Amino acid sequence: MTPTVSVVIPTYNRSALLPNAIESVLAQTFTDYELIVIDDGSTDDTCERLKPYMGRIRYFYQDNRGASAAQNKGIEVATGKWVAILGSDDVWLFSKLERQLKALATLGNDFAACFTDCIYVGHPDLSLSAFERAGLKPNSEFGQLHDPIKYILGSYPPICPQSLIVLRSLLKELNGFDEAIGVSEDQDLIFRLALKTKLCYVSAPLVRIDQTPSRSRLSDSLGRKNDQLYAWFEYRYRKWLGMSEVADCGARQTIEEQLCALYYDWTTAKLRHLQVEGACEKINEIRRMGHSYPVIFSVLLSRATRKLSRTLRRPERHAS
């Protein structure tokens, strides 16, 4: 029988945490699902840890190719009408799938994706939920997310991939995750989803996301400013600007502003490492976006001044 939901857990060297994620799926009050584990080339004892579950999961191993490729493999082998992806270090609360499917059934066929609020565990500085950080204040159990692009392009998007459930046919139409993007590939997919369907939410925090600082994760590369990281974001912004739907959703200006800010960051990084030729290339990109040389140099000088001021104040804090 074809299941209603295909649950996909991509994993890489998370053998100690993976059983918790699996158990949270097996404990769901909604039971018409298949559970797929995509092992993206783990070198730990993941396979051994999965032995007790082999009768209840579909297990696939592939050479290490990254998060996007692992998630795409899960979408490829899924057979359910809906697909939900869970990180191997995260867990769902027991009513997550049931409440999302109730929301989708109530709101109708215009909605091909639904997400929930999430809470963060393991990090002392993340006391707010995903909705609270984004400034999203629902006044009902579930409903439509109006102006989703505004939230997706915000500083703290409320839609976490671990909380999403999406029509498999729509994921196929969108070709899943873009494997050319090494970070924030989930935001790219969610952005493209929002251009194709209405999004709804369940206001309860039904996902626990592990943000333990000592645990390595793909998003750690966000803290390392290097050319590859900047290039991934540039690719994503350029890709969005090339989409015909972007003009209709009113997001072009915001995306252009974020791309321009990226070029300023990139230029600053180049200058910090005395890569003058590379900095000039990025300044030319800013020029092509309409900024004059006086404006560019004024912004760069202002950034340098703020950084110097912060640096000079550090000894004062230590002395006090």
Side-chain angles (χ1 to χ4, degrees):
M1 296 289 292
T2 301
T4 299
V5 181
S6 294
V7 179
V8 176
I9 302 180
T11 188
Y12 175 69
N13 287 347
R14 288 288 171 80
S15 64
L17 297 169
L18 180 57
N20 294 332
I22 292 175
E23 291 289 351
S24 77
V25 177
L26 297 177
Q28 290 294 300
T29 53
F30 181 86
T31 58
D32 186 17
Y33 62 81
E34 62 176 350
L35 178 50
I36 301 167
V37 176
I38 306 296
D39 186 347
D40 192 45
S42 294
T43 57
D44 60 5
D45 61 341
T46 290
C47 194
E48 187 69 23
R49 294 273 190 144
L50 288 175
K51 284 184 177 179
Y53 301 104
M54 283 302 181
R56 292 176 286 178
I57 68 173
R58 298 173 61 201
Y59 173 73
F60 297 86
Y61 179 92
Q62 65 181 24
D63 292 337
N64 181 247
R65 293 168 50 205
S68 292
Q71 292 171 116
N72 283 341
K73 178 64 176 180
I75 296 169
E76 175 190 334
V77 301
T79 63
K81 178 180 179 181
W82 300 89
V83 172
I85 297 175
L86 173 62
S88 56
D89 53 346
D90 305 319
V91 297
W92 287 345
L93 274 65
F94 65 91
S95 62
K96 189 238 184 212
L97 291 179
E98 178 183 359
R99 295 171 77 168
Q100 284 183 291
L101 290 167
K102 175 185 175 183
L104 288 162
T106 303
L107 294 172
N109 295 333
D110 288 340
F111 295 84
C114 180
F115 63 100
T116 79
D117 197 1
C118 305
I119 56 175
Y120 303 97
V121 298
H123 198 300
D125 296 332
L126 294 176
S127 58
L128 300 178
S129 74
F131 282 19
E132 289 169 337
R133 294 182 84 203
L136 181 60
K137 301 176 181 179
N139 54 14
S140 59
E141 178 187 358
F142 55 79
Q144 178 180 352
L145 178 66
H146 297 284
D147 199 4
I149 297 298
K150 179 191 75 173
Y151 286 101
I152 294 167
L153 295 179
S155 299
Y156 302 104
I159 309 174
C160 303
Q162 302 93 323
S163 78
L164 267 174
I165 184 169
V166 186
L167 270 182
R168 180 167 63 96
S169 59
L170 180 54
L171 288 173
K172 293 274 192 179
E173 179 185 339
L174 295 173
N175 295 316
F177 293 86
D178 189 337
E179 297 181 25
I181 302 177
V183 293
S184 298
E185 74 288 340
D186 51 350
Q187 188 183 21
D188 170 65
L189 177 65
I190 293 167
F191 180 87
R192 290 183 286 125
L193 279 173
L195 296 177
K196 292 291 186 180
T197 182
K198 293 180 179 180
L199 303 178
C200 65
Y201 61 80
V202 174
S203 59
L206 300 177
V207 183
R208 298 177 64 195
I209 299 177
D210 191 325
Q211 290 289 312
T212 303
S214 60
R215 185 164 297 128
S216 63
R217 51 180 52 85
L218 177 62
S219 58
D220 288 346
S221 59
L222 288 171
R224 298 193 295 270
K225 303 299 185 183
N226 54 52
D227 279 346
Q228 179 61 81
L229 179 61
Y230 287 120
W232 277 327
F233 281 110
E234 178 188 33
Y235 167 85
R236 188 187 68 181
Y237 289 133
R238 291 291 185 190
K239 170 185 171 181
W240 290 353
L241 290 172
M243 299 172 63
S244 59
E245 300 95 335
V246 167
D248 297 330
C249 73
R252 175 171 291 278
Q253 181 178 346
T254 300
I255 297 170
E256 288 178 344
E257 290 171 353
Q258 293 184 357
L259 176 59
C260 193
L262 173 73
Y263 283 134
Y264 275 113
D265 289 342
W266 206 343
T267 301
T268 302
K270 291 286 188 184
L271 292 173
R272 189 178 301 125
H273 293 92
L274 303 180
Q275 298 173 353
V276 177
E277 183 178 351
C280 289
E281 291 176 357
K282 304 312 166 192
I283 288 173
N284 286 333
E285 293 291 351
I286 301 172
R287 282 276 294 143
R288 280 190 277 271
M289 300 190 73
H291 288 215
S292 66
Y293 283 127
V295 169
I296 295 171
F297 294 135
S298 175
V299 171
L300 293 175
L301 179 60
S302 175
R303 284 169 169 240
T305 301
R306 288 198 302 270
K307 182 173 180 59
L308 178 60
S309 177
R310 288 195 298 269
T311 302
L312 292 174
R313 285 199 301 267
R314 284 172 188 164
E316 296 177 9
R317 291 202 301 268
H318 295 319
S320 61

